[in-house]
Amino acid sequence: MRNLAKRVIFQTLNDKRSVALILIAPLLILTLVYFLLGDSDYVPVVVLDENVQTQLVEAFEAETLDVRLDTVDDPFGYLEDNKDVDAIFEATQEGTTITLREPSTKSSKAVREIQTALSALNPAADIEMNYVYGEEGQSTFDSFGYVFLSLFSFFFVFILSAMALVKERSGGTLERLLMTPIKRGQVILGYTLGYGVFAVVQSVFIVLYTIYVLGLTSLGNIGWVFLVMILMAGTAVFFGATISVFARSELQVVQMIPFTIIPQVFFSGLIPLDLIPYGLGNLSYVMPIFYGATAIKEVMVYGSGFAGIWGYVLGLIFYAGVLYLLNMRALGKYRGH
């Protein structure tokens, strides 16, 4: 038993990836969480009617709020047209109303600051909450379900493709295939199309199950959701192929997950980019899950069509193209040029 334990210890110490997984990965992830969940310097933008009492304006400005005065006839339309505004505050004889874009961390921060400002003027004020998208008290799954659609679409296809390609290479299948007249690009596209069939089936199942069984609401056409999911899955195949170049076994693919997949989860939309301190939100633009999750949110939460998601779709296509070129270059060493 003692000899077996020693063998396991020395084998693990000789595997740099295992040591990194045990010692370095937790520290990196904890550091990332520390920065992402640290104190945000974000200041919510609140619009008040330009004829509101000066006392109320001063009370709002005393809090951590960016107060703007404007004439608002239609709060819902105003928030749709002004993406930088977080809340509209209205105080009339009928009552006090706060209109927000959607239930989110940003909205909650705006409401807290508004309530603090009102507590000094009228602690007993009854506030009505309205949302342009979503509703008060909706479940966490309703708020973030779109994130998991993109995450699962990417993660499982990535695991399948990366492990299968490592197995193909370790078994010599890939080298024998490259000895034939087939081109490197055809090899990559062949693998992509092969796994893409399962990716399409997976995407259809996930979307239909989430909407019609779990009851996740989609304001837009789910056809656009299918398109984004399929693009995500295709990008995951290229991503898995790229990662497989650096792995000699299926275990090493798993060891790379904390460095390749987990960081993407934090930038997928679970935390609004505006609330991420130190400008770290800009890192999301180099992560494919961000583009997929944001596009799906645009369709399902905001009801956007292609005009609202084309930029994110283009981002996924560009990302897949870069990975395709990297895989072409990586396969060259197996053919000898």
Side-chain angles (χ1 to χ4, degrees):
M1 182 179 67
R2 183 179 302 174
N3 292 334
L4 178 60
K6 286 183 178 181
R7 183 170 64 84
V8 171
I9 291 172
F10 285 115
Q11 282 181 344
T12 303
L13 290 176
N14 290 330
D15 186 350
K16 296 180 180 179
R17 291 180 177 84
S18 295
V19 174
L21 180 66
I22 296 171
L23 299 180
I24 299 177
L27 300 182
L28 289 177
I29 294 174
L30 283 173
T31 302
L32 182 61
V33 171
Y34 169 79
F35 284 118
L36 295 181
L37 301 183
D39 292 334
S40 173
D41 57 358
Y42 181 75
V43 179
V45 178
V46 179
V47 172
L48 304 178
D49 188 271
E50 57 185 1
N51 297 319
V52 75
Q53 296 178 356
T54 305
Q55 185 182 12
L56 185 61
V57 176
E58 293 175 349
F60 274 56
E61 290 179 341
E63 305 302 326
T64 310
L65 291 171
D66 180 0
V67 181
R68 302 180 186 179
L69 301 180
D70 202 353
T71 300
V72 181
D73 297 323
D74 178 16
F76 286 75
Y78 191 94
L79 286 174
E80 289 180 348
D81 296 334
N82 298 271
K83 304 294 186 182
D84 62 324
V85 176
D86 297 300
I88 296 176
F89 178 82
E90 297 175 289
T92 63
Q93 294 180 349
E94 287 76 19
T96 301
T97 304
I98 300 176
T99 305
L100 304 155
R101 186 178 312 280
E102 60 183 312
S104 66
T105 308
K106 292 170 62 177
S107 297
S108 299
K109 186 171 184 178
V111 171
R112 287 197 303 269
E113 297 295 334
I114 292 174
Q115 289 175 335
T116 302
L118 291 177
S119 63
L121 299 175
N122 185 8
D126 187 18
I127 303 175
E128 178 184 353
M129 309 288 292
N130 293 325
Y131 294 93
V132 179
Y133 306 102
E135 58 187 17
E136 187 176 6
Q138 69 181 26
S139 67
T140 304
F141 182 75
D142 290 330
S143 299
F144 298 107
Y146 66 91
V147 173
F148 298 105
L149 284 178
S150 60
L151 180 61
F152 292 156
S153 175
F154 189 89
F155 178 71
F156 290 113
V157 175
F158 160 77
I159 287 293
L160 174 65
S161 60
M163 287 189 170
L165 288 170
V166 167
K167 186 176 182 180
E168 292 253 293
R169 196 174 70 247
S170 61
T173 305
L174 183 60
E175 286 79 356
R176 290 194 295 270
L177 183 62
L178 290 172
M179 292 175 64
T180 67
I182 189 172
K183 297 180 179 179
R184 286 176 288 170
Q186 293 175 327
V187 172
I188 297 171
L189 292 177
Y191 280 121
T192 303
L193 290 175
Y195 294 119
V197 172
F198 298 101
V200 170
V201 174
Q202 180 206 60
S203 300
V204 172
F205 268 77
I206 290 177
V207 173
L208 294 180
Y209 183 83
T210 304
I211 293 177
Y212 295 106
V213 178
L214 301 183
L216 186 64
T217 303
S218 177
L219 297 181
N221 189 331
I222 63 172
W224 297 121
V225 179
F226 285 133
L227 172 64
V228 175
M229 293 277 285
I230 291 171
L231 286 175
M232 283 285 294
T235 305
V237 174
F238 287 132
F239 195 79
T242 304
I243 294 301
S244 70
V245 173
F246 303 98
R248 294 193 300 269
S249 65
E250 291 90 335
L251 175 61
Q252 291 183 356
V253 172
V254 176
Q255 291 172 338
M256 292 182 185
I257 290 177
F259 303 98
T260 58
I261 300 298
I262 293 180
Q264 295 194 58
V265 175
F266 295 114
F267 294 94
S268 61
L270 291 176
I271 304 173
L273 300 183
D274 294 336
L275 296 183
I276 299 178
Y278 313 112
L280 292 177
N282 294 322
L283 292 176
S284 62
Y285 297 110
V286 297
M287 300 182 181
I289 290 181
F290 162 76
Y291 294 99
T294 307
I296 292 174
K297 180 180 182 179
E298 284 288 334
V299 175
M300 301 189 72
V301 178
Y302 300 144
S304 301
F306 185 73
I309 66 172
W310 71 269
Y312 304 109
V313 170
L314 187 62
L316 280 174
I317 294 174
F318 175 78
Y319 206 104
V322 171
L323 292 176
Y324 173 77
L325 294 176
L326 289 175
N327 283 309
M328 284 272 290
R329 187 176 182 84
L331 286 181
K333 69 178 183 180
Y334 295 106
R335 178 166 279 180
H337 60 80

